[in-house]
Amino acid sequence: MGSNLTWHDASLQVDHYRKRNGHHSGVIWFTGLSGSGKSSVANRVNEKLYEKHLQSYLLDGDNVRHGLNQDLGFATQDREENIRRIGEVAKLFTDSGTIVLTAFISPYQEDRDRVRNLLPEGDFIEVFIDCPLAECEKRDPKGLYEKARSGEIKGFTGIDAPYEAPTSPELVLHTHERDIETCANQVIDYLEEKGWV
Ligand SMILES: Nc1ncnc2c1ncn2[C@@H]1O[C@H](COP(=O)(O)OS(=O)(=O)O)[C@@H](OP(=O)(O)O)[C@H]1O
Ligand SMILES: Nc1ncnc2c1ncn2[C@@H]1O[C@H](COP(=O)(O)OP(=O)(O)O)[C@@H](O)[C@H]1O
């Protein structure tokens, strides 16, 4: 594929953007069940970075599944392609000097690892939003668990489709025990510890 494709050496590289922005760039990858709190925590982290005048951007279902990935559903291969595209976009954001946050279920370890391997070591932070299924189901913010239990939705993650918990995430957040603010602060503390911000 693409034998006539030439690669252009951009004169501006990631280090230029990072230097200008005054901070590191990379991917903060939130993964967890529907309703576990990925969007809520990622949004709060994004706000905190914005308040610090850092360049960050949140990719989530609202701006990705309705646009770039509107052709994809929830079959295993569609989810794989969803995550592959999001990974490539996240890499581009990283190259632009941006701290990119992603909030997708991303249920398969292999798919998440593939994204991790697109990036240099240390530039991918996997954040496991660890919330028991029973709690997610109780929250049921979109009423989807109810539909999944009644069979109205088939192949719903956690009910009749798998979720593979991360094997070695950089961070684990227990959203059923700590509030959104505390969880968001855990991420910010980690970024400070790693010298990203
Ligand atoms: N079958 C099925 N399984 C899981 N989720 C479903 C399904 N159908 C629709 N939804 C809604 O889509 C949201 C998940 O989209 P994602 O792009 O994060 O999924 S994935 O990473 O490709 O698995 C998901 O939840 P959130 O995690 O709250 O965004 C649901 O709102
Ligand atoms: N500590 C917490 N972290 C994140 N969400 C929480 C927390 N405690 C309660 N919630 C609630 O749980 C729901 C999580 O929904 P959402 O953020 O959309 O999850 P997801 O993006 O994983 O589907 C929200 O209604 C949120 O207010």
Side-chain angles (χ1 to χ4, degrees), residues 119-132:
L119 292 143
E121 175 109 39
D123 287 0
F124 180 87
I125 299 172
E126 190 175 5
V127 184
F128 177 26
I129 304 289
D130 188 5
C131 184

Side-chain angles (χ1 to χ4, degrees), residues 66-82:
H66 293 156
L68 175 71
N69 291 351
Q70 63 182 203
D71 56 322
L72 302 176
F74 292 90
T76 305
Q77 282 184 349
D78 283 22
R79 294 186 200 246
E80 181 186 330
E81 177 62 8
N82 185 39

Side-chain angles (χ1 to χ4, degrees), residues 33-41 139 141 175 178-180 183:
L33 294 168
S34 177
S36 58
K38 301 179 297 295
S39 300
S40 302
V41 177
R139 291 177 183 170
T175 58
R178 304 215 164 129
D179 63 17
I180 295 173
C183 292

Side-chain angles (χ1 to χ4, degrees), residues 28-91:
I28 309 175
W29 189 279
F30 294 84
T31 172
L33 294 168
S34 177
S36 58
K38 301 179 297 295
S39 300
S40 302
V41 177
N43 259 298
R44 192 66 194 112
V45 173
N46 196 27
E47 286 171 0
K48 284 173 179 284
L49 295 173
Y50 184 84
E51 283 159 13
K52 289 177 190 283
H53 301 275
L54 307 181
Q55 186 167 313
S56 64
Y57 191 71
L58 172 63
L59 295 172
D60 66 11
D62 287 342
N63 57 23
V64 173
R65 271 207 175 263
H66 293 156
L68 175 71
N69 291 351
Q70 63 182 203
D71 56 322
L72 302 176
F74 292 90
T76 305
Q77 282 184 349
D78 283 22
R79 294 186 200 246
E80 181 186 330
E81 177 62 8
N82 185 39
I83 299 312
R84 188 192 72 78
R85 289 184 200 169
I86 292 159
E88 293 289 349
V89 171
K91 181 177 158 41

